[in-house]
Amino acid sequence: MASHDQQALALEEEFAQRPMSRATFARLYRYVRPYRRLFILNLVLTLLATAAQLAGPRLIQIGIDRHLASFGSSEAAARGILAVSAVYFAFLLAGWVLSAGQVKTAIAVGQGAMNDLRMAVFEHIQTLSLNYFDRTHQGRILSRADTDIDALDRVLTWGANQLLSSVITLAGVVVLLLDYDPRLFLAVSFVIPLLALATREFHRRGMEAYRRMRELASRLTSTVAENISGVRVVQAFGREDLNLSSFRTLHDEYGDRVLVAARVFHTYMPFVYLISGLATAVVLGYGGKLAMEREVTVGELAAFVLYLGMFFGPIHTMGDLYNSLLSTAACAERVFQLLDTQPQVRDREGARPLPELQGRVEFDSVDFRYDSTPEGTWILKGVSLDVEAGQTIALVGETGSGKTTIVSLLARFYEPQLGVIRVDGMDLRETQAQSLHRQLGIVTQDNFLFTGTVMENLKFGRPNASDEEVVREAAALGTDAVFRGLKDGYETKVGERGANLSAGERQLICLTRAMVARPRILILDEATSAVDPQSERVIQHALQTLFAGRTTFVIAHRLSTVRHADQILVLSGGSVVERGRHEELVAAGGAYARLHEEFVRR
């Protein structure tokens, strides 16, 4: 597991050390493509709004030179000023309307693309095989699905129109400055190499700062997620203060890196403002001299100063946008890395859907190891079994003997490295996984519940089931009275992971949920471990009734729950060491007999 974490960190380091590539940028904007009409409208509105903004200084110049400087006819000057003011206001009003439309369309495009990306990530996560979750920290997955996508908001929503506006403004300002007076433009051209050097240094230092900041942000998210998941263990061992101290150290380091990144950015932008002020001072000094010598008009000088101010605005915007690109480049790479992760278990080309199952199961010389298992070590070795449709099979053995692995392979959460697993004579690798999962019912000892009501959880495997059908299944299982005894009966709200219910109540809900799904193959992995002995006795008869007509695999440490199985498989070290019925195995005096003797002595 550690090697996988190191590989993941190394890959994130690689992502963080490079700017957003053209390929990544193009792929990101594929999510904008469905909104291309709005996107084009947004760019048109941006272009028109920028043009309206560029007209302002020219109108001011006309007002000063043609009317304010003309004192011969004050009435005519007043009418002229009013006319120019009206036109200026009209351009402002047009710019305001265009900008409002620009903002509206930008948000519609950006949020639409963000929502589509979130949906794509959520959909893909659900298709990934369990080996991905085995080797990837929950915090890293959450970071990609939440924080990393949120970080793309600035680029997807405002990136295109801000870039277009800045480029058009810069180009227009340069043309207008040269048109007014090339000498003044040349006088302030010294700012260009200074800005280029500052931007280059900002890129170098900013990339390093954001790289480290993103790495620490990922570790913070992972730490928080891990502590939330393990809060009971944390409190049970009194680790609150130690964990808080460790988190504080990590958080302080993150805070330091945030300050470093902010210092880099907020040193660059004040430098841009300083250069802007210096250029303005040069224009006022040199331009004032030219105005006094009547080589330029006062209006032209005023317009030149205003356009010069507009020259630095886009630089500030593009610097801020580039800052966003620096901070989101690695985020985009990580999101696409997740989307590019292929599930280990996936339907092959030409895979066939399984028909309605009878339930015969065969394991033919199956060998299996997890991705995290050391080389040369096998979790299952040469496991073979033949289960007739409708039989109940019990898997027993010490912890780590491979019981849960067998049912996980049957559910096709993983695929074996060697050997074949068949259901009704069909190799599972040649079938569609969904057609298998729709006919499986699984209850594990984790008793995971979803937020909602008890009834909604019971219908999870068969959403179209009626309330009456659910109640009948619960009554047959013997759990109806338990659910009716809850605060609001079947409509009782289930908190996150069922925290407001007892462990036994959660497990009974999970057991009934599997029954409501009407599976052809049923898997119970320690399904009664949290049920008290009295409740267990209540459901034993119901379980035997419901097992009829279904192939059932039962894993249990309580041997009382498996003694009536048609076949008991005893596992040790990943191999089947004994098989037979309860009475036969007890009489044989082998591994099962010893397990039974220990169980009886408890």
Side-chain angles (χ1 to χ4, degrees):
M1 187 71 75
S3 62
H4 287 298
D5 289 341
Q6 291 168 0
Q7 291 171 6
L9 282 171
L11 189 58
E12 289 188 9
E13 288 285 316
E14 180 187 340
F15 288 160
Q17 290 179 39
R18 63 190 187 211
M20 188 177 290
S21 66
R22 289 184 181 179
T24 301
F25 193 77
R27 186 174 179 183
L28 193 60
Y29 267 87
R30 286 179 201 163
Y31 290 90
V32 176
R33 191 175 299 161
Y35 310 94
R36 55 185 174 275
R37 291 184 179 178
L38 275 176
F39 182 72
I40 292 171
L41 175 60
N42 174 258
L43 296 184
V44 171
L45 292 173
T46 299
L47 187 62
L48 294 174
T50 303
Q53 183 185 23
L54 286 172
R58 174 72 79 176
L59 292 170
I60 291 173
Q61 180 248 316
I62 292 172
I64 292 174
D65 288 344
R66 292 187 184 178
H67 303 291
L68 286 182
S70 176
F71 297 108
S73 175
S74 59
E75 185 176 342
R79 285 198 302 271
I81 286 295
L82 286 175
V84 171
S85 298
V87 174
Y88 184 80
F89 178 74
F91 271 94
L92 285 179
L93 185 61
W96 175 73
V97 172
L98 291 167
S99 295
Q102 173 194 354
V103 169
K104 185 177 180 179
T105 52
I107 292 175
V109 171
Q111 292 308 306
M114 293 268 289
N115 289 340
D116 290 347
L117 184 57
R118 283 195 184 94
M119 291 297 293
V121 169
F122 184 82
E123 180 182 15
H124 186 69
I125 286 174
Q126 294 187 102
T127 69
L128 292 175
S129 304
L130 292 190
N131 71 309
Y132 177 79
F133 301 97
D134 291 340
R135 67 173 186 261
T136 308
H137 278 303
Q138 184 186 61
R140 294 189 185 280
I141 301 173
L142 291 175
S143 179
R144 284 162 173 74
D146 184 21
T147 310
D148 286 344
I149 293 179
D150 284 343
L152 302 175
D153 182 43
R154 170 71 187 278
V155 174
L156 284 172
T157 304
W158 307 109
N161 62 66
Q162 286 189 345
L163 181 62
L164 177 64
S165 176
S166 298
V167 170
I168 296 298
T169 300
L170 275 177
V173 165
V174 169
V175 170
L176 289 166
L177 289 177
L178 285 169
D179 180 61
Y180 274 113
D181 196 301
R183 292 171 299 176
L184 283 175
F185 181 80
L186 289 174
V188 296
S189 61
F190 70 91
V191 303
I192 296 176
L194 290 177
L195 288 174
L197 289 172
T199 301
R200 181 179 178 182
E201 186 66 11
F202 167 65
H203 172 265
R204 185 180 69 82
R205 294 182 180 273
M207 182 63 74
E208 171 62 25
Y210 282 110
R211 176 193 64 78
R212 183 60 178 158
M213 190 178 76
R214 285 189 297 267
E215 177 198 337
L216 289 167
S218 181
R219 287 174 59 191
L220 278 172
T221 303
S222 181
T223 300
V224 170
E226 189 174 53
N227 273 266
I228 291 174
S229 298
V231 65
R232 285 183 174 82
V233 178
V234 171
Q235 293 181 359
F237 285 92
R239 288 276 309 188
E240 295 92 339
D241 291 341
L242 285 173
N243 285 11
L244 179 61
S245 176
S246 176
F247 184 77
R248 182 181 290 113
T249 300
L250 187 60
H251 192 274
D252 289 345
E253 188 177 355
Y254 173 73
D256 291 342
R257 291 298 167 176
V258 170
L259 289 176
V260 170
R263 193 179 301 124
V264 170
F265 179 69
H266 292 290
T267 299
Y268 171 73
M269 292 315 304
F271 181 76
V272 172
Y273 291 133
L274 176 64
I275 295 299
S276 172
L278 181 59
T280 302
V282 170
V283 168
L284 288 175
Y286 182 49
K289 178 177 180 296
L290 293 176
M292 286 187 291
E293 294 173 354
R294 299 190 180 280
E295 294 188 33
V296 297
T297 67
V298 174
E300 289 173 340
L301 180 60
F304 196 97
V305 171
L306 290 173
Y307 278 126
L308 186 64
M310 293 174 68
F311 176 83
F312 289 98
I315 292 178
H316 168 78
T317 300
M318 287 194 292
D320 194 25
L321 183 59
Y322 189 67
N323 177 57
S324 294
L325 283 172
L326 285 179
S327 62
T328 60
C331 296
E333 293 279 8
R334 287 197 294 263
V335 170
F336 290 134
Q337 182 209 13
L338 172 59
L339 287 174
D340 290 338
T341 300
Q342 292 297 315
Q344 187 183 63
V345 179
R346 59 182 182 272
D347 293 341
R348 300 180 180 181
E349 187 175 352
R352 297 170 295 167
L354 283 167
E356 183 175 348
L357 295 178
Q358 298 301 310
R360 183 181 178 188
V361 176
E362 301 171 73
F363 276 55
D364 186 358
S365 301
V366 169
D367 289 7
F368 176 78
R369 56 185 295 276
Y370 295 101
D371 290 349
S372 57
T373 306
E375 288 288 341
T377 301
W378 294 91
I379 302 301
L380 296 180
K381 297 178 293 185
V383 171
S384 294
L385 56 92
D386 193 341
V387 181
E388 294 297 330
Q391 283 191 331
T392 297
I393 306 302
L395 304 175
V396 301
E398 69 272 12
T399 300
S401 59
K403 304 183 297 297
T404 298
T405 300
I406 286 179
V407 295
S408 295
L409 289 172
L410 173 58
R412 210 180 170 202
F413 293 149
Y414 305 90
E415 286 185 341
Q417 282 80 17
L418 296 171
V420 180
I421 301 173
R422 300 183 185 90
V423 174
D424 287 355
M426 299 178 67
D427 186 341
L428 285 184
R429 293 171 299 187
E430 305 300 329
T431 65
Q432 295 176 2
Q434 280 293 326
S435 65
L436 171 67
H437 294 156
R438 282 194 295 266
Q439 302 187 68
L440 280 179
I442 302 177
V443 183
T444 70
Q445 57 186 331
D446 294 333
N447 52 64
F448 189 95
L449 298 179
F450 295 87
T451 302
T453 65
V454 170
M455 180 63 75
E456 288 169 342
N457 271 275
L458 294 175
K459 291 182 179 181
F460 192 81
R462 190 159 63 95
N464 60 345
S466 67
D467 291 356
E468 292 74 17
E469 288 177 301
V470 172
V471 171
R472 281 199 299 271
E473 295 284 6
L477 189 63
T479 57
D480 177 62
V482 176
F483 300 150
R484 292 185 184 277
L486 297 174
K487 180 182 176 182
D488 295 313
Y490 283 87
E491 297 305 313
T492 299
K493 294 291 184 182
V494 176
E496 186 175 1
R497 298 180 66 92
N500 59 324
L501 301 171
S502 70
E505 289 167 342
R506 292 198 299 269
Q507 214 144 21
L508 290 175
I509 291 174
C510 292
L511 189 62
T512 309
R513 177 173 65 190
M515 297 302 102
V516 171
R518 294 180 177 174
R520 302 301 303 164
I521 297 176
L522 182 63
I523 296 172
L524 305 180
D525 187 354
E526 297 291 344
T528 60
S529 62
V531 180
D532 60 81
Q534 182 177 355
S535 298
E536 185 180 7
R537 285 192 296 271
V538 170
I539 68 172
Q540 282 304 313
H541 178 71
L543 282 175
Q544 297 303 320
T545 302
L546 290 167
F547 288 171
R550 293 185 175 93
T551 303
T552 306
F553 284 76
V554 181
I555 299 174
H557 285 107
R558 294 182 181 180
L559 298 188
S560 58
T561 62
V562 303
R563 62 187 302 149
H564 300 296
D566 296 300
Q567 188 178 168
I568 298 173
L569 303 182
V570 184
L571 285 96
S572 179
S575 299
V576 178
V577 295
E578 286 184 343
R579 67 183 75 205
R581 296 182 65 86
H582 170 77
E583 296 79 7
E584 297 170 350
L585 294 175
V586 170
Y592 182 82
R594 291 191 294 272
L595 289 172
H596 183 260
E597 186 179 351
E598 291 177 10
F599 174 74
V600 171
R601 284 204 304 262
R602 291 175 189 166

